């Protein structure tokens, strides 16, 4: 039996709890510490998972801690990553590293110097649906890829207070789709055109953001990708992807909680899509942590690295610039 | 260009009109006569289709008439078939030949003696869905056939007056499913078990009939077939077939008028099945007449013959007997 | 019974034959003339439909001719429309009126002066699927419309000779989607961004065209529409539309020739989309002619008018300009 | 926080391990003992779940043990249930209690006398699909229930050695469907007709069993139910249910591992059903244990009781008798 991997959780909020519970259930992983600014929440989670409530310094100082999971507020990610890297810990960090491109670059430089693995929480790559699609695409199932279509809509907008500090729709929401696009396209986009509107809630416009957007990406070889976002889909979390190639098309339809259909005088009614990311991506959240643990053991790169975070942010920034200027933006690598 | 086939329609009701319109649109077919006890309806249809309103004797006496379409009341079918056969006409007759087995046998004997083609209106075999299923089955797509499941439900019961003279659910409604079963099984059932209830309308029980039924057929080699009937499906005409074999399953889902889906807060709503036989089998009605015309030209047997009517009636009678006695009935060929 | 409408067909090619056959089967319509530069084809169709093979001058001079169907080569449309308008005939013309915007404007001016109805063959509006979608959208089924997504892919590219004179992908192929977009958006786009590639066949690039394209349209109120085109979909004619609104989403999936599914060890296999426009839009071709006849009788406008052709061409031209310049183009009405 | 429930697992095989892992992950449940005739397997599981490997006597003697999970060989179930009941433990037992009806009756008498809860592992009632169907049925979603259709096919037959001691298809396999039928019908069947064949593997016939079966159940009020079984479905575990009522139909389609579709020149290919019960009913296995724990806490009856096992066995026996005699069997309660 292999040596236990010792982990610490930084940030005991909703998504942090999910990650901690996942690793606590894995064999050969010990969740030793839970850290949170909210002592009550932190202690409660620690107790439930047989871990110790502690603080960041203790975690970093404990030489037996192999890895940290960072699920704190966004603006603390970069500093914690650097701290963990300098302490020689493997790092799993919720997206994004930071909303500031330069800060991300500096942070990744530290990670690179310390040669620690950094996995980023672009959870969708681990969804069994998208994962199967990507594998079949890569295996040549539809020949040469030509077009990607990504539909990504949240069931309802986040609170205005969140929107104000979110970095805006392109950096906060569509960044997941930019990562999906990069992953599927297999080459970097060289041009972004973005447009958008505020159709869902005028207060979002007042807060300086949009809630509805469409984007077209183009790669050097001429592959095209369209992305459609809305902050509000009355029928639930709309998460679909299509890839079109020289020999066919692969598409992923929404997941539902069951396969029940009702035939009545009004039609045939099936279940609507799962409500939101916690439901839709429950399995993906487990898979991404398993990938992280497996990467620590094998020494291989995690599936999603810090660089993927940087490149997705580059696209999000370019999309924002395109939206503001009204013209396409050329991506400089 | 081949010689025109001259036809006459006997019975200008709803289904007769459909058949007459179909043949009138075919090249190289001349619809010469329309006959009906209702002179007004007959004349109207004749005028619309550039045919002559006439009577049965004239039709039979006209040596240029190659074929007749019989769509009159059920109790006139057998006599008209014999008359047409004795006049040397090819015959397309709506199902059934007759509700009396012996009378059907006598009638088919006349047809056989006169060596005229007799096509029977088991329209479902011509439905593009069931036709594709049967072809793939026959081509070995699912290996060796083992089980057949037929679901067949009408949107609403016919008038009580009709039910009283219909011959009962097994002979009037399930007879279509017996034909489907024989066609798909590829061998004759040797045993029938039938059960049923009156759950839709108590007046149907008063009239001596049932409105809900289930049947199991078994062939000599052990193949099984289940049939489920109801006189009332609130969501429309439910017409589905499944065939299960050693290497897979083929199934036909209901047809709908469009492929529109609505995603909203109540679920995903698609169109319900087409309302009834006129909608669902519109194409089948055209195909069966084309098959008839083609059989006349080629001299080949029509796809559905008088004998198919006889055998389906044999199963219906056995099912009725099983329902009455409460035990399975062995089929004697 | 109402007076017969007398019609003439100009252009007895594939689509002309379909239209002529449709009207010949309608009650109260007389197809009197068939005109074609290919005398053999014209005479053959005329004979089949009991019409007279003739020439344009005779058609225009026959005061009993109420309407003409123009299905000739594209570059003759505008002249024939003007001629027919000046002869007081109602006009059904295959799209486009012309590839030159100014010529279309001049032509429509003549039509307006002569006050004759001009129906244009944007057949997709008459597809039962898109028609149902548009009706439900208009009826408020999904609240306020926010986004439209149109996927439109041909099974295979046309001959290079055709591509060279086609006006290019935006004017020849995507023009159908621009019409669909206008119809569904319910307001005119004010901005177009178009991009494209040649990924299917390099000879298409040599011919100065593209075979793969994506477009985003934006209206004054901020509604967005994305269109995706390819000249080659290995799985058949891909014709799908989605409309997204404040209370839900409506979408139309592809039509197939049957509802048969095969379950086997490789998965569940269903029918692929209908092959091409003749199969997919067979019913739409009938419906658009019925709408034309009905418009002649009622004096109402046809569902698709010359102006719709003009506006779709305006969008196609703007898209081409955007594609060439690489930046969005503002539409000037 | 409520008192911990202390549990012991009897039988550390495949399904026992699943149950033990499930309860070990629940809060407020302590899995104290693992018992198995195979010491190595038992110790391994015990170690993994932080439990103690022990023996039945120790378990029964430990007054702190609240409940036992019985997942041993079928022929030990009844004795262990009696032993546990006499020791005052709550009992979760894999189906069946026993293959002998009288033995089950005696066993349930002991359970009743000791007033301990006995939950039986008819896992399918806990499947989210069938559970949703049953809830909507009960809530009146389709009006008055009239017909039930159950399709239940295994991907491949069990080993012949298993078949020989299994009790036969009706008692081993279809017993799940009899429970489903009873649960959905809402009243007890009063008549069973069963027929079957050996079409999959002739060795199964040699072993005195069948591999293909169809059954019809009828209740006193005339409700009908059809069940179709096969020991081999090449496309995976086929588990579907339909309920038909006065106002509509509810149906559950098979679950798949993803919602990926591939459109190519051969058609549209989707995922086949999940392979077998471990995959399909993974969630149901968790839910049934949660129901058991919740029943212990609340003092309410578990969803599936010993009596449900008895009644399903009564139907299975009647079906076997009907199959042997060739005539329907009346159920005597």
């Amino acid at each position: 039996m292999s040596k236990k991997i010792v982990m610490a959780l930084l940030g005991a909020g909703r998504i942090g709890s999910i990650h901690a519970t996942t690793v606590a259930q894995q064999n050969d992983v010990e969740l030793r510490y839970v850290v949170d600014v909210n002592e009550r929440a932190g202690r409660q989670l620690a107790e439930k998972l047989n871990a110790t409530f502690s603080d960041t310094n203790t975690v970093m100082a404990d030489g037996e801690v192999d890895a940290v999971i960072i699920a704190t507020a966004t603006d603390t990610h970069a500093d914690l990553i650097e701290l963990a890297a300098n302490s020689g810990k493997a790092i799993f960090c919720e997206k994004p590293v930071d909303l500031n491109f330069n800060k991300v670059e500096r942070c990744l430089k530290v990670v690179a110097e310390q040669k620690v693995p950094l996995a980023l929480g672009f959870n969708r790559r681990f969804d069994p649906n998208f994962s199967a699609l990507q594998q079949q695409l890569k295996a040549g199932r539809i020949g040469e890829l030509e077009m990607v279509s990504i539909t990504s809509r949240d069931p309802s907008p986040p609170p205005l207070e969140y929107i104000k500090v979110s970095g805006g729709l392109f950096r906060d929401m569509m960044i997941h789709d930019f990562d999906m696009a990069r992953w599927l396209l297999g080459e970097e986009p060289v041009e972004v055109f973005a447009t958008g509107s505020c159709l869902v809630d005028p207060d979002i416009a007042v807060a300086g953001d949009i809630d509805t957007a469409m984007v077209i990406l183009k790669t050097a070889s001429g592959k095209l990708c369209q992305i459609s976002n809305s902050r509000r889909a009355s029928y639930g979390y709309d998460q679909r992807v299509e890839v079109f190639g020289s020999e066919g098309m692969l598409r992923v339809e929404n997941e539902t909680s069951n396969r029940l259909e009702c035939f009545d005088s009004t039609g045939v009614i099936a279940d609507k899509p799962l409500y939101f990311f916690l439901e839709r991506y429950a399995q993906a959240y487990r898979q991404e942590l398993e990938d992280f643990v497996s990467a620590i053991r094998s020494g291989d790169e995690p599936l999603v690295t810090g660089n993927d975070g940087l490149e997705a942010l580059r696209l999000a920034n370019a999309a924002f610039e395109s939206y503001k200027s009204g013209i396409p933006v050329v991506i400089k690598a």
Side-chain angles (χ1 to χ4, degrees), chain A:
Chain A
M1 195 177 288
S2 54
K3 189 184 148 289
K4 284 222 170 191
I5 292 178
V6 179
M7 288 204 182
L9 172 71
L10 310 180
R14 190 167 55 169
I15 199 70
S17 300
I18 289 173
H19 291 328
T21 304
T22 297
V23 297
Q25 284 176 359
Q26 282 186 282
N27 293 329
D28 309 334
V29 174
E30 176 197 334
L31 181 72
R32 185 168 293 179
Y33 300 111
V34 170
V35 177
D36 200 280
V37 290
N38 177 336
E39 182 170 339
R40 196 160 158 277
R43 283 199 183 279
Q44 202 171 330
L45 184 65
E47 183 176 2
K48 189 179 149 199
L49 299 173
N50 290 319
T52 304
F53 178 73
S54 184
D55 58 75
T56 304
N57 288 343
T58 306
V59 166
M60 299 301 169
D62 184 339
E64 288 179 15
V65 169
D66 300 297
V68 295
I69 296 169
I70 302 174
T72 53
T74 292
D75 58 5
T76 66
H77 286 184
D79 289 347
L80 286 172
I81 289 173
E82 292 190 26
L83 191 57
N86 286 326
S87 308
K89 316 297 189 200
I91 303 155
F92 178 93
C93 184
E94 270 306 303
K95 69 100 202 167
V97 172
D98 198 88
L99 294 170
N100 181 294
F101 192 85
N102 294 333
K103 198 164 174 190
V104 178
E105 281 193 311
R106 280 196 308 272
C107 178
L108 296 188
K109 201 156 162 267
V110 174
V111 171
E113 284 162 5
Q114 298 298 342
K115 295 193 172 64
V116 294
L118 167 58
L120 207 66
F122 279 133
N123 53 297
R124 293 184 195 173
R125 293 203 197 183
F126 297 91
D127 175 68
N129 295 286
F130 299 137
S131 173
L133 179 143
Q134 195 264 355
Q135 279 163 31
Q136 293 206 18
L137 172 63
K138 214 173 147 188
R141 186 77 183 78
I142 57 162
E144 198 67 29
L145 177 69
E146 294 169 2
M147 291 195 277
V148 174
S149 296
I150 300 173
T151 302
S152 177
R153 296 164 185 155
D154 289 351
S156 57
L160 274 175
E161 292 316 303
Y162 175 83
I163 280 186
K164 284 173 188 164
V165 300
S166 68
L169 181 141
F170 296 109
R171 271 181 289 248
D172 174 56
M173 179 177 178
M174 199 182 280
I175 195 151
H176 277 290
D177 307 303
F178 287 127
D179 181 62
M180 182 62 65
R182 288 184 62 244
W183 189 45
L184 298 176
L185 285 168
E187 52 178 307
E188 298 295 338
V190 295
E191 192 190 283
V192 179
F193 174 73
T195 187
S197 305
C198 189
L199 302 173
V200 173
D201 181 355
D203 285 346
I204 292 176
V206 173
D209 203 357
I210 54 176
D211 50 37
T212 304
M214 283 186 180
V215 160
I216 294 178
L217 305 174
K218 191 175 191 174
T219 71
S221 74
K223 291 175 173 46
L224 303 177
C225 172
Q226 61 187 7
I227 301 171
S228 157
N229 271 189
S230 172
R231 285 284 194 186
R232 179 262 302 111
S234 63
Y235 49 89
Y237 195 38
D238 194 352
Q239 296 281 294
R240 290 173 289 148
V241 169
E242 283 185 22
V243 289
F244 175 84
S246 55
E247 292 169 29
M249 172 173 72
L250 294 163
R251 74 168 183 182
V252 164
E253 288 287 289
N254 284 305
E255 283 281 355
T256 56
S257 62
N258 61 56
R259 303 284 177 126
L260 180 62
E261 294 168 321
C262 181
F263 289 65
D264 68 18
S265 60
T266 64
V268 180
I269 304 102
D271 202 15
K272 61 186 168 180
L274 291 169
Y275 179 64
F276 211 173
F277 57 93
L278 292 181
E279 294 82 14
R280 167 64 190 262
Y281 293 120
Q283 194 170 342
Y285 287 126
R286 288 193 295 272
Q287 296 288 119
E288 67 181 359
L289 266 297
E290 282 176 24
D291 176 73
F292 178 53
V293 167
S294 149
I296 295 174
R297 283 204 195 287
S298 67
D300 293 340
E301 266 206 335
L303 176 57
V304 191
T305 66
N307 188 57
D308 291 314
L310 188 75
E311 293 303 326
L313 182 59
R314 194 194 301 275
L315 291 179
N317 283 344
F320 182 74
E321 190 189 330
S322 170
Y323 164 66
K324 282 294 184 192
S325 67
I327 57 172
V329 167
V330 174
I331 311 291
K332 297 163 207 90

